[in-house]
Amino acid sequence: MNENIDINDLNTSISFFKKEVKKFVEERNWSVFHTPKNLVQAINCEAGELSQLLLFKDYKKEAIWNDETLLTNISDEIADVFIYIISLINTLKLDLTQVFTRKMEKNKEKYSSKEFNNGIYYKK
Amino acid sequence: MNENIDINDLNTSISFFKKEVKKFVEERNWSVFHTPKNLVQAINCEAGELSQLLLFKDYKKEAIWNDETLLTNISDEIADVFIYIISLINTLKLDLTQVFTRKMEKNKEKYSSKEFNNGIYYKK
Amino acid sequence: MNENIDINDLNTSISFFKKEVKKFVEERNWSVFHTPKNLVQAINCEAGELSQLLLFKDYKKEAIWNDETLLTNISDEIADVFIYIISLINTLKLDLTQVFTRKMEKNKEKYSSKEFNNGIYYKK
Amino acid sequence: MNENIDINDLNTSISFFKKEVKKFVEERNWSVFHTPKNLVQAINCEAGELSQLLLFKDYKKEAIWNDETLLTNISDEIADVFIYIISLINTLKLDLTQVFTRKMEKNKEKYSSKEFNNGIYYKK
């Protein structure tokens, strides 16, 4: 029986992902590999694999959903980046929610919605 | 008053991050930029910035916590990667929890804890 | 006097770049940092900085040439990636010309010009 | 007969690589894909593949030379990054030698050998 059958983005907190990744790493004695330096390198490698899936292809959501293999591959690479992020959060004993919230405050200040509301991306 | 003062990894679900990022993008009319192709490119760029913070430095957790600027910079870059991941999840209408759970199942099969439990990383 | 005033792509061999980078690294006692692992990480970081310059912008050559700052920034980031590649070639005692030639032979076999001549990029 | 048998880093100028890559791209009608934006994305993807070969492994030159498969894989990924860099130089009509020389001048100024000669990497 799959105990995870009913979990989804609405009912799953970050602590779930942290526990799952911690258990996976510890059961394999891989903590020694999951140093901060190795993890940031790993995140960059996995991000490259994700990016490669849309290299030379500018697909919209619909085209991706129509290509089951591509959708699975993109999903798997998103997961790989996310898993290493969670492992880095575990290694550094950080709270991802607080890390996110603080950076969003900075972004809201840097890109005020008064100044950036007409589809212009960068400060002149 | 900061309404987010009490949120943390124990009580915050993925849907919170999805809503926050969606609102941020829509208020600036940036949806047009947040195409799948641009987002995977962005994730890779931000992952490079994160990696750069530990280039030529093999710091353990304690050394990072002792360097407040470095800890803030690493936290901010982790957030940037995560924010773009959440925006990609939003754009593609995916459920990150399910994406994660499916990939973890594959990883558990590929790297069985029976075979990988002694600090060896790769299949021979 | 700039002794390099007359050197360009027509008259400059790879050995020139290797010597210049070797001298730069040795004069600063940086060989200890230029390990294979650090250099591949560095190449990836610099590639991310290069990519970021065209994130959310799909500029053609003409638009880039019309924006002097952007052209300089792109040139500088190309140089940074190239410098680390040359340093990796130095560290590993490889011949870049032979490395290039062997890979091009593989690419010509994998993507035969008979099969790939109509603007299709990937094998079906 | 391999006409390239005698070419190496001592006798091969950048213009050779530019011609080879240009011919390869044009014979496949791939110029349409080799836009500046696609090429910087491609460089980042290939840099990630190169980095992955030394993820969780801190091998010295000797260990890499003792592992023929790894040496070939590293060589091939170096070539892939370099090929896309050359194609970007072609697309942008730049001179890599001048791009390199200008950046090296900036680096020599930023990291003067008077100040940086004792194995310290970063400005304090």
Side-chain angles (χ1 to χ4, degrees):
Chain A
M1 201 191 82
N2 188 340
E3 64 191 283
N4 293 330
I5 200 115
D6 287 333
I7 68 171
N8 60 50
D9 286 351
L10 287 168
N11 61 21
T12 309
S13 69
I14 295 293
S15 56
F16 165 79
F17 303 100
K18 289 165 90 163
K19 265 182 241 158
E20 286 287 303
V21 171
K22 185 173 189 288
K23 189 162 164 262
F24 184 84
V25 171
E26 288 184 350
E27 280 177 358
R28 283 151 190 81
N29 283 305
W30 282 356
S31 305
V32 64
F33 297 112
H34 282 226
T35 63
K37 186 182 171 76
N38 278 343
L39 288 168
V40 297
Q41 187 189 354
I43 289 165
N44 209 0
C45 293
E46 295 298 336
E49 289 189 29
L50 173 59
S51 182
Q52 189 134 34
L53 294 170
L54 293 171
L55 184 60
F56 306 125
K57 297 177 203 153
D58 197 357
Y59 287 0
K60 287 182 204 283
K61 185 196 66 169
E62 290 71 24
I64 293 169
W65 275 87
N66 281 335
D67 181 339
E68 201 181 336
T69 305
L70 182 60
L71 183 63
T72 300
N73 289 341
I74 289 175
S75 300
D76 282 355
E77 296 300 340
I78 290 173
D80 282 339
V81 177
F82 183 56
I83 289 165
Y84 279 125
I85 292 221
I86 293 294
S87 194
L88 180 58
I89 289 287
N90 277 339
T91 294
L92 293 178
K93 307 279 183 219
L94 290 169
D95 187 282
L96 181 57
T97 304
Q98 288 175 17
V99 160
F100 170 88
T101 304
R102 275 188 226 120
K103 188 52 164 62
M104 284 299 279
E105 291 306 318
K106 290 185 192 179
N107 287 353
K108 283 172 194 165
E109 205 172 313
K110 186 173 177 189
Y111 303 103
S112 83
S113 59
K114 271 197 193 161
E115 200 183 347
F116 293 86
N117 55 19
N118 59 354
I120 300 298
Y121 217 89
Y122 288 105
K123 281 190 187 287
K124 283 157 224 166
Chain B
M1 201 191 82
N2 189 340
E3 65 192 282
N4 293 328
I5 200 112
D6 288 334
I7 66 172
N8 59 51
D9 286 351
L10 287 168
N11 61 22
T12 309
S13 69
I14 296 292
S15 57
F16 165 79
F17 303 99
K18 289 165 91 164
K19 265 182 241 156
E20 286 288 303
V21 172
K22 185 174 189 286
K23 190 162 162 263
F24 184 85
V25 172
E26 287 183 352
E27 279 177 359
R28 283 150 191 82
N29 282 307
W30 282 354
S31 304
V32 64
F33 296 113
H34 283 225
T35 62
K37 185 183 173 78
N38 278 343
L39 289 168
V40 297
Q41 187 189 352
I43 291 165
N44 209 3
C45 293
E46 296 298 336
E49 290 189 27
L50 174 59
S51 181
Q52 190 132 35
L53 295 170
L54 293 171
L55 185 59
F56 307 124
K57 297 176 204 154
D58 197 358
Y59 288 0
K60 287 183 203 282
K61 184 196 66 171
E62 290 72 22
I64 293 170
W65 275 87
N66 281 335
D67 181 339
E68 201 181 336
T69 305
L70 181 60
L71 183 63
T72 300
N73 289 342
I74 289 175
S75 300
D76 282 355
E77 296 300 339
I78 290 173
D80 282 340
V81 178
F82 183 56
I83 289 165
Y84 279 126
I85 292 222
I86 293 295
S87 194
L88 180 58
I89 289 286
N90 277 339
T91 294
L92 292 178
K93 308 277 183 222
L94 289 169
D95 186 282
L96 181 56
T97 305
Q98 287 174 19
V99 160
F100 170 89
T101 305
R102 275 187 225 119
K103 188 54 165 60
M104 285 299 279
E105 291 305 318
K106 291 183 190 177
N107 287 353
K108 283 171 193 166
E109 205 172 314
K110 188 174 175 189
Y111 303 103
S112 84
S113 58
K114 271 197 190 160
E115 199 183 347
F116 293 86
N117 55 19
N118 59 355
I120 301 299
Y121 217 90
Y122 288 105
K123 281 190 185 289
K124 286 154 221 168
Chain C
M1 201 192 80
N2 187 339
E3 64 191 284
N4 293 329
I5 200 114
D6 288 334
I7 66 171
N8 59 50
D9 286 351
L10 287 167
N11 61 22
T12 309
S13 70
I14 295 293
S15 56
F16 165 79
F17 303 99
K18 289 165 89 164
K19 265 181 241 156
E20 286 287 303
V21 172
K22 185 174 189 288
K23 190 162 164 265
F24 183 85
V25 172
E26 288 183 351
E27 281 177 359
R28 283 152 190 79
N29 282 307
W30 282 356
S31 305
V32 64
F33 297 112
H34 282 225
T35 62
K37 186 183 172 76
N38 277 343
L39 289 168
V40 298
Q41 188 189 353
I43 290 165
N44 210 3
C45 293
E46 296 298 336
E49 290 189 28
L50 174 59
S51 181
Q52 190 134 33
L53 295 170
L54 293 171
L55 184 60
F56 306 124
K57 298 177 203 153
D58 196 358
Y59 287 0
K60 287 182 204 282
K61 184 195 66 169
E62 291 70 24
I64 293 169
W65 275 87
N66 282 335
D67 181 339
E68 202 181 336
T69 305
L70 181 60
L71 183 63
T72 300
N73 289 342
I74 289 175
S75 300
D76 282 356
E77 295 301 339
I78 290 173
D80 282 340
V81 178
F82 184 55
I83 289 165
Y84 279 125
I85 291 220
I86 293 295
S87 193
L88 180 58
I89 288 287
N90 277 339
T91 294
L92 293 178
K93 307 279 184 220
L94 289 169
D95 186 282
L96 180 57
T97 305
Q98 287 174 17
V99 160
F100 170 89
T101 305
R102 273 187 227 120
K103 188 52 165 62
M104 286 298 280
E105 291 305 319
K106 290 184 191 177
N107 288 353
K108 283 172 193 165
E109 206 172 312
K110 187 173 175 189
Y111 303 103
S112 83
S113 58
K114 270 196 191 160
E115 200 183 345
F116 292 86
N117 56 19
N118 58 355
I120 301 299
Y121 216 89
Y122 288 105
K123 281 190 186 291
K124 285 157 223 167
Chain D
M1 201 192 82
N2 187 339
E3 64 191 281
N4 293 328
I5 201 118
D6 288 333
I7 67 171
N8 59 51
D9 285 352
L10 286 168
N11 61 22
T12 308
S13 69
I14 296 293
S15 57
F16 165 79
F17 302 99
K18 290 165 89 164
K19 265 182 241 155
E20 286 287 304
V21 171
K22 185 173 190 284
K23 191 162 163 262
F24 184 84
V25 172
E26 287 184 351
E27 281 178 357
R28 282 151 191 81
N29 283 306
W30 282 354
S31 305
V32 64
F33 297 112
H34 282 225
T35 61
K37 185 183 172 76
N38 278 342
L39 289 168
V40 298
Q41 187 189 354
I43 290 164
N44 210 2
C45 294
E46 296 298 336
E49 291 190 27
L50 174 58
S51 182
Q52 189 134 35
L53 295 170
L54 294 171
L55 184 60
F56 306 123
K57 296 176 204 155
D58 197 356
Y59 287 0
K60 287 182 202 283
K61 184 196 68 172
E62 290 71 24
I64 294 170
W65 275 88
N66 281 335
D67 181 339
E68 201 180 335
T69 304
L70 182 59
L71 183 63
T72 300
N73 288 342
I74 289 176
S75 300
D76 282 356
E77 295 301 339
I78 291 173
D80 281 340
V81 178
F82 183 56
I83 289 166
Y84 278 125
I85 291 224
I86 293 295
S87 193
L88 181 58
I89 289 286
N90 277 339
T91 294
L92 292 178
K93 307 280 183 219
L94 289 170
D95 186 283
L96 181 57
T97 305
Q98 288 174 18
V99 160
F100 170 88
T101 305
R102 272 187 227 121
K103 189 53 166 59
M104 285 299 278
E105 291 306 319
K106 291 184 190 177
N107 288 353
K108 283 171 194 166
E109 205 171 314
K110 188 173 175 189
Y111 304 102
S112 83
S113 58
K114 271 196 191 160
E115 199 182 348
F116 293 87
N117 55 19
N118 59 354
I120 300 298
Y121 215 90
Y122 287 105
K123 282 189 186 289
K124 284 158 224 166

